[in-house]
Short mmCIF file of all heavy atoms in Angstrom, two decimals:
data_model
loop_
_atom_site.label_atom_id
_atom_site.label_comp_id
_atom_site.label_asym_id
_atom_site.label_seq_id
_atom_site.Cartn_x
_atom_site.Cartn_y
_atom_site.Cartn_z
N THR G 1507 0.75 20.01 10.22
CA THR G 1507 1.96 19.28 9.82
C THR G 1507 1.64 17.80 9.66
O THR G 1507 1.01 17.21 10.51
CB THR G 1507 3.03 19.42 10.92
OG1 THR G 1507 3.16 20.79 11.21
CG2 THR G 1507 4.35 18.85 10.46
N LYS G 1508 2.05 17.21 8.59
CA LYS G 1508 1.79 15.79 8.38
C LYS G 1508 2.82 14.97 9.16
O LYS G 1508 3.99 15.29 9.20
CB LYS G 1508 1.90 15.43 6.90
CG LYS G 1508 1.02 16.24 5.99
CD LYS G 1508 -0.42 15.84 6.09
CE LYS G 1508 -0.64 14.50 5.42
NZ LYS G 1508 -2.05 14.10 5.49
N ILE G 1509 2.33 13.93 9.76
CA ILE G 1509 3.25 13.04 10.46
C ILE G 1509 3.93 12.17 9.41
O ILE G 1509 3.28 11.62 8.54
CB ILE G 1509 2.49 12.15 11.45
CG1 ILE G 1509 1.83 13.01 12.51
CG2 ILE G 1509 3.43 11.13 12.08
CD1 ILE G 1509 0.92 12.24 13.44
N LYS G 1510 5.22 12.08 9.53
CA LYS G 1510 5.95 11.22 8.60
C LYS G 1510 5.83 9.77 9.06
O LYS G 1510 6.33 9.40 10.10
CB LYS G 1510 7.43 11.62 8.57
CG LYS G 1510 7.68 13.04 8.06
CD LYS G 1510 7.73 13.08 6.54
CE LYS G 1510 8.14 14.44 6.02
NZ LYS G 1510 7.19 15.51 6.34
N ASN G 1511 5.17 8.99 8.24
CA ASN G 1511 4.90 7.63 8.65
C ASN G 1511 6.14 6.76 8.77
O ASN G 1511 6.22 5.91 9.64
CB ASN G 1511 3.91 6.98 7.69
CG ASN G 1511 2.50 7.45 7.99
OD1 ASN G 1511 1.92 7.03 8.96
ND2 ASN G 1511 2.00 8.35 7.17
N ASP G 1512 7.13 7.03 7.90
CA ASP G 1512 8.33 6.21 8.00
C ASP G 1512 9.01 6.44 9.35
O ASP G 1512 9.55 5.55 9.97
CB ASP G 1512 9.29 6.51 6.83
CG ASP G 1512 9.54 7.99 6.67
OD1 ASP G 1512 8.84 8.79 7.32
OD2 ASP G 1512 10.45 8.33 5.89
N LYS G 1513 8.92 7.67 9.81
CA LYS G 1513 9.52 8.01 11.10
C LYS G 1513 8.78 7.29 12.23
O LYS G 1513 9.37 6.78 13.17
CB LYS G 1513 9.42 9.52 11.29
CG LYS G 1513 10.37 10.05 12.33
CD LYS G 1513 10.39 11.58 12.26
CE LYS G 1513 11.35 12.12 13.29
NZ LYS G 1513 11.36 13.58 13.27
N ILE G 1514 7.45 7.27 12.09
CA ILE G 1514 6.65 6.61 13.12
C ILE G 1514 7.03 5.14 13.24
O ILE G 1514 7.15 4.60 14.32
CB ILE G 1514 5.15 6.71 12.77
CG1 ILE G 1514 4.70 8.16 12.95
CG2 ILE G 1514 4.31 5.80 13.66
CD1 ILE G 1514 3.33 8.42 12.40
N GLU G 1515 7.25 4.54 12.09
CA GLU G 1515 7.56 3.12 12.11
C GLU G 1515 8.88 2.82 12.82
O GLU G 1515 9.04 1.78 13.44
CB GLU G 1515 7.58 2.57 10.67
CG GLU G 1515 6.17 2.29 10.19
CD GLU G 1515 6.07 2.23 8.67
OE1 GLU G 1515 7.12 2.21 8.00
OE2 GLU G 1515 4.94 2.22 8.18
N LYS G 1516 9.80 3.78 12.74
CA LYS G 1516 11.11 3.56 13.36
C LYS G 1516 11.08 3.84 14.87
O LYS G 1516 11.88 3.32 15.62
CB LYS G 1516 12.16 4.44 12.69
CG LYS G 1516 12.58 3.89 11.34
CD LYS G 1516 13.52 4.84 10.65
CE LYS G 1516 13.60 4.53 9.17
NZ LYS G 1516 14.02 5.67 8.38
N MET G 1517 10.20 4.71 15.28
CA MET G 1517 10.17 5.09 16.68
C MET G 1517 8.86 4.60 17.30
O MET G 1517 8.00 4.08 16.64
CB MET G 1517 10.21 6.62 16.80
CG MET G 1517 11.41 7.25 16.18
SD MET G 1517 11.23 9.03 16.04
CE MET G 1517 11.22 9.52 17.76
N SER G 1518 8.74 4.81 18.59
CA SER G 1518 7.44 4.62 19.21
C SER G 1518 6.51 5.59 18.52
O SER G 1518 6.80 6.78 18.40
CB SER G 1518 7.55 4.95 20.70
OG SER G 1518 6.37 5.57 21.13
N SER G 1519 5.40 5.11 18.00
CA SER G 1519 4.59 5.95 17.14
C SER G 1519 4.10 7.21 17.86
O SER G 1519 4.07 8.28 17.29
CB SER G 1519 3.42 5.15 16.59
OG SER G 1519 2.60 4.74 17.65
N LYS G 1520 3.75 7.09 19.12
CA LYS G 1520 3.25 8.26 19.83
C LYS G 1520 4.34 9.31 20.05
O LYS G 1520 4.12 10.49 19.83
CB LYS G 1520 2.65 7.83 21.16
CG LYS G 1520 1.16 8.01 21.19
CD LYS G 1520 0.65 7.89 22.58
CE LYS G 1520 -0.72 7.30 22.52
NZ LYS G 1520 -1.22 6.99 23.84
N ASP G 1521 5.52 8.83 20.46
CA ASP G 1521 6.62 9.78 20.66
C ASP G 1521 6.91 10.51 19.36
O ASP G 1521 7.09 11.73 19.34
CB ASP G 1521 7.89 9.03 21.11
CG ASP G 1521 7.75 8.46 22.52
OD1 ASP G 1521 6.81 8.90 23.23
OD2 ASP G 1521 8.55 7.60 22.89
N ALA G 1522 6.94 9.74 18.30
CA ALA G 1522 7.22 10.34 16.99
C ALA G 1522 6.14 11.33 16.61
O ALA G 1522 6.43 12.40 16.05
CB ALA G 1522 7.31 9.25 15.93
N ALA G 1523 4.93 10.98 16.93
CA ALA G 1523 3.83 11.85 16.56
C ALA G 1523 3.90 13.17 17.31
O ALA G 1523 3.74 14.25 16.73
CB ALA G 1523 2.50 11.16 16.83
N TYR G 1524 4.14 13.09 18.60
CA TYR G 1524 4.26 14.33 19.38
C TYR G 1524 5.38 15.20 18.81
O TYR G 1524 5.24 16.40 18.66
CB TYR G 1524 4.53 14.01 20.86
CG TYR G 1524 3.26 13.78 21.66
CD1 TYR G 1524 2.85 12.51 22.02
CD2 TYR G 1524 2.49 14.87 22.06
CE1 TYR G 1524 1.70 12.30 22.76
CE2 TYR G 1524 1.34 14.68 22.81
CZ TYR G 1524 0.94 13.39 23.15
OH TYR G 1524 -0.20 13.21 23.87
N GLU G 1525 6.47 14.54 18.49
CA GLU G 1525 7.62 15.28 17.97
C GLU G 1525 7.31 15.88 16.60
O GLU G 1525 7.59 17.05 16.33
CB GLU G 1525 8.82 14.34 17.87
CG GLU G 1525 10.12 15.09 17.62
CD GLU G 1525 11.29 14.12 17.44
OE1 GLU G 1525 11.42 13.21 18.28
OE2 GLU G 1525 12.01 14.28 16.46
N SER G 1526 6.69 15.07 15.77
CA SER G 1526 6.44 15.52 14.41
C SER G 1526 5.38 16.62 14.35
O SER G 1526 5.50 17.57 13.58
CB SER G 1526 6.00 14.32 13.57
OG SER G 1526 5.70 14.75 12.28
N LEU G 1527 4.35 16.48 15.18
CA LEU G 1527 3.31 17.51 15.15
C LEU G 1527 3.84 18.84 15.67
O LEU G 1527 3.52 19.90 15.13
CB LEU G 1527 2.10 17.07 15.99
CG LEU G 1527 1.23 16.00 15.34
CD1 LEU G 1527 0.22 15.46 16.34
CD2 LEU G 1527 0.51 16.56 14.14
N GLY G 1528 4.64 18.77 16.70
CA GLY G 1528 5.27 19.99 17.22
C GLY G 1528 4.30 20.84 18.02
O GLY G 1528 3.08 20.68 17.95
N PRO G 1529 4.86 21.78 18.79
CA PRO G 1529 4.04 22.58 19.71
C PRO G 1529 2.94 23.38 19.00
O PRO G 1529 1.85 23.55 19.54
CB PRO G 1529 5.04 23.52 20.36
CG PRO G 1529 6.39 23.05 20.00
CD PRO G 1529 6.29 22.11 18.86
N GLU G 1530 3.23 23.85 17.80
CA GLU G 1530 2.24 24.72 17.13
C GLU G 1530 0.93 23.98 16.86
O GLU G 1530 -0.16 24.47 17.18
CB GLU G 1530 2.84 25.22 15.81
CG GLU G 1530 2.07 26.39 15.23
CD GLU G 1530 2.57 26.78 13.84
OE1 GLU G 1530 3.78 26.57 13.57
OE2 GLU G 1530 1.75 27.23 13.04
N VAL G 1531 1.05 22.79 16.30
CA VAL G 1531 -0.15 22.01 15.97
C VAL G 1531 -0.81 21.50 17.25
O VAL G 1531 -2.04 21.52 17.38
CB VAL G 1531 0.20 20.84 15.03
CG1 VAL G 1531 -1.03 19.97 14.79
CG2 VAL G 1531 0.72 21.37 13.71
#
Side-chain angles (χ1 to χ4, degrees):
Chain G
T1507 309
K1508 305 286 287 181
I1509 298 173
K1510 297 276 187 296
N1511 282 286
D1512 50 350
K1513 199 169 181 182
I1514 290 169
E1515 279 159 11
K1516 283 175 198 157
M1517 301 168 66
S1518 144
S1519 63
K1520 248 193 212 173
D1521 291 345
Y1524 273 104
E1525 192 184 312
S1526 177
L1527 285 170
E1530 195 187 330
V1531 175

